[in-house]
Amino acid sequence: MESVKGKNILITGATGGIGSKTARLLSSSGANLFIAARNKEKLTALAAEINLSPEKLFALDISKPEEVRLLKEQFFSLYPSIDVLVNAA
């Protein structure tokens, strides 16, 4: 498996099921990890558990195009690319 160290990885649906397990697995991989989910409280709790800073969290409902556009604008204003996108939502 190719190393993900230093890669920008965004996981949607990160607070439950496979998204949560993937976030936990990748949290110690050296990746530049970002997580997104609808429930801000669960998102914050997961981030605390895996030692992820608040600027790497995105609370949004991906069924709403305007929220997805806002995420895109926020993300790309800070980072040049998403190397891996995990759509678990």
Side-chain angles (χ1 to χ4, degrees), residues 22-87:
T22 302
R24 286 179 175 90
L25 262 171
L26 291 174
S27 67
S28 61
S29 69
N32 194 19
L33 185 62
F34 303 87
I35 58 176
R38 283 184 295 185
N39 187 309
K40 190 172 184 175
E41 290 78 26
K42 287 183 180 180
L43 193 62
T44 303
L46 176 61
E49 179 186 329
I50 63 175
N51 297 316
L52 199 61
S53 58
E55 65 271 3
K56 296 190 172 191
L57 311 180
F58 297 95
L60 77 150
D61 182 345
I62 66 166
S63 71
K64 297 179 179 176
E66 64 276 6
E67 291 188 26
V68 174
R69 277 191 289 280
L70 182 59
L71 165 64
K72 178 194 76 139
E73 290 169 8
Q74 290 174 337
F75 187 92
F76 288 115
S77 72
L78 300 171
Y79 303 95
S81 67
I82 297 173
D83 299 307
V84 178
L85 176 62
V86 179
N87 286 313

